Structure formats: structure tokens, C-alpha cells
Amino acid sequence: MSQAWHEELQAEVKSGARVGDRDIADKVRRAVLMQRLPPGTKLPEVTLGEVFGVSRSVVRKALTRLASEHVVDQRPNQVARVRAPSIEETRETFAARRLVEGEVVALLAGTLSAETLDALKIQAREETESYRRGDEPARIEHSLNLHHLLAEHSPNRVLGGMLTDLVLRTSIVVALYKRSGLSSCYQEAQHDRLVELLAAGEAEAARGAIHDHLFGLEALLDLSPRESSIDLKSILGQSPAI
Amino acid sequence: MSQAWHEELQAEVKSGARVGDRDIADKVRRAVLMQRLPPGTKLPEVTLGEVFGVSRSVVRKALTRLASEHVVDQRPNQVARVRAPSIEETRETFAARRLVEGEVVALLAGTLSAETLDALKIQAREETESYRRGDEPARIEHSLNLHHLLAEHSPNRVLGGMLTDLVLRTSIVVALYKRSGLSSCYQEAQHDRLVELLAAGEAEAARGAIHDHLFGLEALLDLSPRESSIDLKSILGQSPAI
DNA sequence: CATCCCGACATTGTATACAGAAAATGCCCC
DNA sequence: GGGGCATTTTCTGTATACAATGTCGGGATG
């Protein structure tokens, strides 16, 4: 685990109230999303417990939760590690998300209240602004918020839950496989267009927009088969920092 | 928890080796599927621990696992209970499964090896036989096996995992909402036809077959809105047995 | 008679101790 | 210098004790 992250959290924890497994899971998930915990990073229970000021029981629960969300790899008798989805799994995750999110927006088109549409527009606008400011963390945050809103308002809650999971997983692999030269994966105006189609009730067009959006995002990644660069590292267990 | 189930397990546990959280989750899941643990049944940690001869730690892990599979409802500071999906959730689960399983069989069509096709045919045949024998538990088992095989062989593993979850959830609600007069939800020859289409590589026809199959299954259920019969019981916490 | 309050009990939440498995270390031998 | 083996160290698996919380009853009160 990174040293800076440690200290940052120490302060936050000391000042605040007592933390539960939910809080720990949230913090770790966020850290993975923000690439402060690179794939393969070991997450020993005692260490995390010390950082958050709780015992292993709570940490364990948090790790199990993260494992069920596919954020962390938990194998018997081995330290939990930040998961590093393969290139193949990345492609499959995108395909699954296209299917599910496409259906969700198709169901959603024309059924959204004015308030919800406003909330979506706000996130889209904030995303664009953050991008122009060059504030990438904020941009990601707003982009995630938008898709999360879609999942939450899905008329089909089961699909909504699945979409929440897929959005998280896609975000992780985007962080992982983003081309090194690329500072951002922002795609001009696509979110705005989607919201417009949802407002207009154009179900199939909205599905198409989501498909385009996700294909575009996937195309921005570097998914060329690499020779053991990432894989070996995680397999051989070389963690970049204690 | 039911008394008969207790004793049955006691014997099995005594004779066998040490049990892990995986084993406990398997047994409980199976019991729910077989309707030996009706929805709303309380599952206190100590009781389960005594039954399986392990401490609460292991039981806890098993319950958490089952909760992430949507088999059990685990709320803070409350006893875990067998989940009772609402009628609305049932409909949504079926819709989600149609979407996902339809896509999986479409991807699968024409790509299956002879061995896998044989395995599928065997399950379909065994299901029919079990039905003719009137052996409903065996019939369910083979039906589940068939769909589980589809999920396992999905070229898209992410979708496969989601399908596994959805198959389990549909099985639970089928057990819950099966019309009382109906002894079985067997649908003549539908599985055989599906396998044929998969062998022939007819992707869209296979998707259609799965849709028909699932619509038919859903139609066999009694999903008429009922007045507080199931819902109130589970909400008010009246468990039918100890 | 309904409602509210309070206390005993049941059950989960958390911390901790010890046992066992895996990984890291160091050593020897080649 | 490199590979194999024993040792040590680290970490997880499990059980258990205690704390905190929720549940359910009885009884007083309006």
C-alpha cells in the first residue's frame, strides 16, 4: 500500500467517528478507482486494520464485500490483492455493459421525471467543466455519478444493480488500460446527447448512443496483447511500495 | 429453521470431514431451492454454527456469501433471513434473465464442442426422465445443471457470471410463486429444442427459444398481487417454525 | 382498552488469542 | 553464482469473550 495514502487516511480517521466495514470498502474502492492503489497491491488485514483503527474482523468484512464487487482478489490463505482484470475480461466487461446499460437506457427513455433529467444534465455539465479545467478526478467523479444515476433509476432494479457493478468494473479497467499518453477519456458531448435522447423518449436511439459511447471508450484504451508486462508483475507479486 | 433439516444435517456433518463456509453456503442454498427453508426463515448464527459444528466466524462468512448471491437478507444487527423477493422483483429478475441468457445463447450458438453438446443433451434427457418418473427434485437438479452449463461455457465470462446469479434467483422465485396446484414447472421439449438450435448455430432462433422458455416459465407462476399474505408475514417477522 | 416505557433476553458487532498455511529468508551444497 | 532445503516470519483461519444493539414481554398510565 502506498505510504502517502496511509498518512492521509490516518488523519481523516483520527478526526472522524468510528469506521465500519462500509467505510473501509468505500475508501479502498475509491483509491483503486483513482489509481492510488495499483493492481496487484497487497492488502493485508492487519495493516488495513491499523490504518483505519479497527480490528481484523471489520477489515475482513470490507475485503469480502470488495471481493464480491470484483475489486479485490481474495484467495484462501493468501493476502487480498487489488484485482487486475485481463485484457480479455476487459473486453467482456465492456460487452456486458453495452448489453445491460443499453437495455436500461431504452427502458428509461421517456419515463424520467424533470428532476432526474435535471440531475443528469447537471452531472453532464459539471463533467465538461471539470474537463476544461483539467481536473481529471472531478471529471471522473461526475461521469460516474451520471451513469450511477441511470442505474439507480432503472425501472428494472435487478438490471440496475447489475449495471452498478458493471460501471464500477469498467471504471477500474479504464484506469488500468488507459493509454499512457492520454490524460483523459472524455468524449465530447456524448453524455449531453444521451440525456437529450432520454428526455425525448427515443428508446432505440438512446440505446445506440450508449453503444457508441462505450465502443468509443473501449477504443480509447490500449488493449493490445502485452508480453507479461502487467501479468508477470502481479503473478510474481512485486508490489511497488509497502 | 426446520427441525427435520437439523437432524438430517447433524448426521451428515458428524460422519464427514471439517466443513468450511463454502459447504455451509451450499447446503443452505440447496435447502432454499428445495423449499425446505421457506422465505422469511430466521438463520441465527449460533444455531447454524451448532448444526454444522463450527463457530460463528465461519457461519458469518457463509451468510455474507449468500447475501451477495441474494439468497439471504442480512441487515445490521438483525438476524439473517431467507429472502422473499417481491412479485415486482420476480418480474424484473425474469426480464433481466431473458436479456442476459438470450445474449449468452446467441453467442454460444455454433461454437459448442461435441462434448459440451452431449453434456447438454444428457441433462435435457435426464430432466424429461425425472419428470416422467415424478421425481421433482431430480428434475429441478437437471434443469439447473443445463442452464448452469450454458453459463459456464459462455464465451463472455462476465455475462456468464451474471447468468449464474440470475439462474439461482429465478429458481428461488419459481419455488416461491409456483401455483399451488402445479406439481412441476416442466415445459415439454423446450430444452431439447434449444440444444438443437445451439448445435445448428442458429443464434437468433436460440435467443428466441430462450425468450419463449422464460416467458412460459413466468406464466406458470402465480404473480397476482396478493394482499399482505407473504409481505406482511416477512415484514412483521412471523416465522412459521423455529 | 390502547399506548408507552422499561427491563430481561436473544443476537449480532468487535476485539483478541491461538493454530495453521504460505511466503520470505538464510544457509548449504554444488 | 545458482538451486534446493530448513527456518523464520508474516499472514490468514478459526474460536471465543465481551460489548452493543435489537427484540419481546409485562406492567403502569392515560
Side-chain angles (χ1 to χ4, degrees):
Chain A
M1 305 196 313
S2 77
Q3 194 57 41
W5 194 59
H6 268 213
E7 290 154 9
E8 195 173 320
L9 281 177
Q10 294 273 13
E12 199 170 329
V13 167
K14 288 240 175 71
S15 66
R18 62 188 196 287
V19 293
D21 58 312
R22 184 83 66 157
D23 306 292
I24 298 179
D26 286 346
K27 287 265 186 287
V28 174
R29 194 185 307 112
R30 197 174 191 78
V32 171
L33 241 31
M34 296 305 174
Q35 293 187 269
R36 290 200 284 193
L37 290 179
T41 307
K42 292 199 278 193
L43 300 171
E45 297 174 356
V46 281
T47 314
L48 278 177
E50 286 164 8
V51 170
F52 286 100
V54 295
S55 82
R56 281 177 53 210
S57 330
V58 188
V59 175
R60 237 173 143 65
K61 213 167 174 178
L63 286 175
T64 303
R65 187 189 295 278
L66 290 170
S68 82
E69 292 174 12
H70 311 100
V71 176
V72 144
D73 221 5
Q74 220 181 5
R75 291 208 191 98
N77 292 320
Q78 279 180 240
V79 234
R81 297 170 107 91
V82 177
R83 235 172 83 87
S86 68
I87 292 172
E88 204 186 349
E89 182 179 331
T90 300
R91 290 221 164 83
E92 294 173 354
T93 307
F94 269 96
R97 180 166 162 190
R98 277 192 293 270
L99 180 74
V100 173
E101 192 161 13
E103 181 76 9
V104 167
V105 296
L107 291 172
L108 230 39
T111 73
L112 289 170
S113 69
E115 293 82 39
T116 309
L117 281 170
D118 278 344
L120 288 170
K121 281 177 198 160
I122 288 176
Q123 294 304 325
R125 204 159 46 86
E126 293 273 345
E127 185 198 5
T128 307
E129 265 181 37
S130 305
Y131 173 69
R132 299 214 195 289
R133 274 206 314 276
D135 185 351
E136 182 66 3
R139 206 219 96 229
I140 294 177
E141 176 97 30
H142 293 300
S143 173
L144 278 175
N145 283 349
L146 190 144
H147 290 284
H148 199 73
L149 277 174
L150 295 178
E152 262 180 2
H153 286 81
S154 166
N156 185 326
R157 301 261 180 167
V158 177
L159 278 180
M162 291 176 11
L163 179 53
T164 302
D165 183 56
L166 288 170
V167 168
L168 174 60
R169 293 171 79 172
T170 342
S171 307
I172 290 175
V173 296
V174 165
L176 222 189
Y177 290 111
K178 191 177 62 183
R179 279 179 215 278
S180 35
L182 217 59
S183 69
S184 172
C185 288
Y186 178 71
Q187 298 182 276
E188 188 79 31
Q190 292 206 349
H191 282 160
D192 305 272
R193 181 158 161 268
L194 172 66
V195 177
E196 279 169 28
L197 292 171
L198 286 176
E202 304 259 17
E204 288 314 312
R207 195 198 301 264
I210 276 289
H211 278 224
D212 292 347
H213 180 57
L214 293 173
F215 273 120
L217 186 52
E218 187 177 349
L220 286 179
L221 305 184
D222 178 15
L223 296 180
S224 54
R226 48 201 67 179
E227 298 291 340
S228 66
S229 131
I230 296 277
D231 284 347
L232 265 191
K233 256 192 205 163
S234 63
I235 288 171
L236 298 180
Q238 302 173 355
S239 65
I242 298 215
Chain B
M1 304 196 314
S2 78
Q3 196 57 41
W5 194 58
H6 268 212
E7 290 154 8
E8 194 173 321
L9 281 178
Q10 293 274 13
E12 198 171 329
V13 166
K14 288 241 176 68
S15 66
R18 58 203 175 281
V19 293
D21 59 313
R22 183 84 66 158
D23 305 293
I24 298 179
D26 287 346
K27 287 265 186 288
V28 174
R29 195 185 307 112
R30 197 176 190 76
V32 171
L33 242 30
M34 296 305 175
Q35 294 187 268
R36 291 198 283 192
L37 290 179
T41 307
K42 291 199 279 192
L43 300 171
E45 297 175 357
V46 281
T47 314
L48 278 177
E50 286 164 6
V51 170
F52 286 99
V54 296
S55 83
R56 282 176 53 209
S57 330
V58 189
V59 174
R60 248 176 130 66
K61 212 168 174 176
L63 286 175
T64 303
R65 186 188 296 278
L66 289 170
S68 81
E69 293 174 12
H70 311 99
V71 176
V72 144
D73 221 4
Q74 215 181 10
R75 284 186 229 163
N77 293 319
Q78 278 177 240
V79 298
R81 298 172 106 92
V82 177
R83 235 172 83 86
S86 69
I87 291 172
E88 203 185 350
E89 183 179 330
T90 300
R91 291 222 163 84
E92 295 173 353
T93 307
F94 269 96
R97 181 167 162 189
R98 277 193 293 271
L99 181 73
V100 173
E101 192 161 14
E103 181 76 9
V104 167
V105 296
L107 291 173
L108 229 40
T111 73
L112 289 169
S113 68
E115 293 81 40
T116 310
L117 282 170
D118 278 344
L120 288 170
K121 282 177 197 157
I122 289 175
Q123 294 303 325
R125 205 160 45 85
E126 293 272 345
E127 185 198 3
T128 307
E129 266 181 33
S130 305
Y131 173 69
R132 300 213 193 289
R133 273 207 316 275
D135 185 352
E136 181 66 1
R139 206 219 93 224
I140 294 176
E141 176 98 29
H142 292 300
S143 174
L144 278 175
N145 282 348
L146 189 143
H147 290 284
H148 200 71
L149 277 174
L150 294 178
E152 263 181 1
H153 286 83
S154 166
N156 185 325
R157 300 259 180 169
V158 178
L159 277 180
M162 290 176 9
L163 180 52
T164 302
D165 183 57
L166 288 170
V167 168
L168 173 61
R169 292 172 78 171
T170 22
S171 306
I172 290 175
V173 297
V174 165
L176 221 190
Y177 291 111
K178 191 176 63 184
R179 278 178 216 280
S180 36
L182 216 60
S183 69
S184 173
C185 289
Y186 178 71
Q187 299 182 273
E188 187 80 32
Q190 292 206 350
H191 281 161
D192 305 272
R193 180 157 162 269
L194 171 66
V195 177
E196 278 170 29
L197 292 171
L198 286 177
E202 305 258 18
E204 288 313 312
R207 193 197 301 265
I210 277 289
H211 278 224
D212 291 348
H213 180 58
L214 292 173
F215 273 120
L217 186 52
E218 187 177 349
L220 285 179
L221 304 184
D222 179 14
L223 296 180
S224 55
R226 47 201 67 180
E227 298 291 339
S228 68
S229 134
I230 295 277
D231 283 347
L232 266 191
K233 256 191 206 164
S234 63
I235 289 172
L236 297 180
Q238 303 173 354
S239 65
I242 297 190

